[in-house]
Amino acid sequence: MARTQLQTEDEASTGEPKRRVTRTTWFFVVLAVASGGGLAWRDGPGAFVDALGSAGMLLVYIGPVIAAALLLGGYVHALLPHDRVARWLGPESGWRGYGIAVLGGVVTPAGPFAVFPILMSLRQAGAGFPVCVVYLTAWAVLGAQRTVIWELPFLGAHFVALRLVASLPVPIVAGLLAHAVARRVSP
Amino acid sequence: MSFVIAFAFVGVLLGGLAGYASLRRPDAHREAFASAHGYFWNIAPRLPFALVAAECLGRLLPPDVVSAWLGAGTGVSGVLIGSGVGAALPGGPMLAFPLAIALMRAGAGPEALVALITAWALVGINRTLLFEVPLLGMRFAIWRLALCVPLPIVAGAVAGALVGLGWWSG
């Protein structure tokens, strides 16, 4: 019950009405028309047709991955024990809490719809600023769903491996910095 | 090839979670499909246009400028420029990743791209304004953003060191 309520709030806070064609869609339409027009004007219509073909191929390849990954995100969202997560990361969790925060960030679905409401309930359950920063940072740079849907198909496994290893220190540095300023943030 | 790997990876995880849901929480199936359906209709109308835009923008980018600013030999300045571009990049992954592959094809180096993606992932200014400020407060958002400033440079530097150790062959 609580979860359905949460989702309605999410939709409200994106500021986007429940229409198929939103302002963000128009942004992409305008961008596509402008860049496509620019390309056709500079390199001729053939170049534009060629670009259209490449984009179409990419769509055919990543379409099934995206559809499956969205369903995966749905399952993670439905199965994640929100209240228990808040307890795991609460004020008494200590170092274990930071480890769980990193793992939690990795498995939390991509998109702001899940991560920010979870963070809000963490704050309400008494989680400190550093553990919240570690969670948010781990979600941003190590999040598995975004990496699998978007990064792996576009940039390849070799680059993904390099970026993930390079990003491993990021949540740790973020946690240390957050620890240093925590008193100024939380009352 | 990476599409196949990605699809297989998602498929295995999906099978595992769906199996778990069948055993323990059968009502999770309906919830999962409902939220996936919502996200799908959010993404589906935009994706074709985003891909066309990124493909055309990538072809419009002058390769000599890209490799001079973000190329493999640019080191620290490439990482700094990549961080700046990433932090300023609006929108979700639909634009960021196709643009990243366009930059890669135009000659951007891996360490600059790591910095760019890290900065984009950490800053995301519209996400901060729409979600972080209303749900967590201005103070939280400002401090969180402030301490994220050095992080793309950290990731870019580690990537640069890994590339220097021979982790990158193209």
Side-chain angles (χ1 to χ4, degrees), chain A residues 23-45:
Chain A
R23 223 180 296 166
T24 319
T25 309
W26 280 112
F27 166 78
F28 283 114
V29 172
V30 170
L31 197 66
V33 170
S35 56
L39 186 67
W41 175 74
R42 198 191 66 181
D43 299 349

Side-chain angles (χ1 to χ4, degrees), chain B residues 37-162:
Chain B
H37 185 258
Y39 292 136
F40 181 82
W41 283 112
N42 216 353
I43 288 181
R46 300 171 195 175
L47 187 61
F49 295 103
L51 291 175
V52 169
E55 188 70 38
C56 292
L57 283 174
R59 287 168 192 232
L60 283 169
L61 286 171
D64 45 333
V65 175
V66 173
S67 51
W69 284 16
L70 298 168
T74 51
V76 179
S77 72
V79 166
L80 290 176
I81 294 171
S83 304
V85 172
L89 208 62
M94 242 175 279
L95 191 64
F97 286 110
L99 210 58
I101 197 178
L103 285 169
M104 197 189 231
R105 279 198 224 124
E111 61 268 57
L113 279 177
V114 166
L116 187 149
I117 291 173
T118 309
W120 165 79
L122 287 172
V123 175
I125 202 72
N126 35 7
R127 191 185 68 195
T128 298
L129 290 176
L130 283 172
F131 291 93
E132 195 172 3
V133 173
L135 294 180
L136 298 165
M138 193 61 126
R139 213 178 164 79
F140 182 101
I142 288 176
W143 276 105
R144 210 270 309 161
L145 280 176
L147 58 86
C148 279
V149 169
L151 302 177
I153 302 162
V154 170
V158 176
L162 291 171

Side-chain angles (χ1 to χ4, degrees), chain A:
Chain A
M1 267 329 234
R3 210 166 281 128
T4 8
Q5 208 179 343
L6 209 69
Q7 261 169 6
T8 335
E9 276 168 25
D10 292 345
E11 275 152 18
S13 55
T14 57
E16 288 191 328
K18 245 188 142 3
R19 277 181 291 156
R20 292 285 155 90
V21 182
T22 60
R23 223 180 296 166
T24 319
T25 309
W26 280 112
F27 166 78
F28 283 114
V29 172
V30 170
L31 197 66
V33 170
S35 56
L39 186 67
W41 175 74
R42 198 191 66 181
D43 299 349
F48 174 66
V49 172
D50 195 50
L52 220 53
S54 307
M57 283 294 280
L58 214 51
L59 184 65
V60 170
Y61 282 130
I62 66 168
V65 182
I66 292 175
L70 288 177
L71 193 55
L72 180 63
Y75 272 107
V76 172
H77 193 75
L79 293 170
L80 203 68
H82 294 256
D83 44 338
R84 223 179 301 162
V85 171
R87 195 159 9 101
W88 288 337
L89 298 177
E92 271 105 57
S93 56
W95 283 107
R96 217 171 53 121
Y98 288 99
I100 295 172
V102 172
L103 287 181
V106 171
V107 301
T108 303
F113 311 100
V115 75
F116 285 106
I118 290 176
L119 268 172
M120 193 177 63
S121 52
L122 286 180
R123 284 295 266 174
Q124 282 162 358
F129 179 66
V131 89
C132 290
V133 166
V134 169
Y135 173 65
L136 186 57
T137 312
W139 167 79
V141 299
L142 300 173
Q145 198 196 13
R146 184 196 275 161
T147 299
V148 171
I149 312 183
W150 297 105
E151 196 177 5
L152 198 55
F154 282 109
L155 297 169
H158 196 63
F159 179 82
V160 170
L162 177 76
R163 194 192 65 76
L164 288 180
V165 174
S167 298
L168 283 178
V170 168
I172 301 168
V173 176
L176 292 172
L177 290 174
H179 197 73
V181 301
R183 275 183 202 187
R184 290 159 184 261
V185 184
S186 314

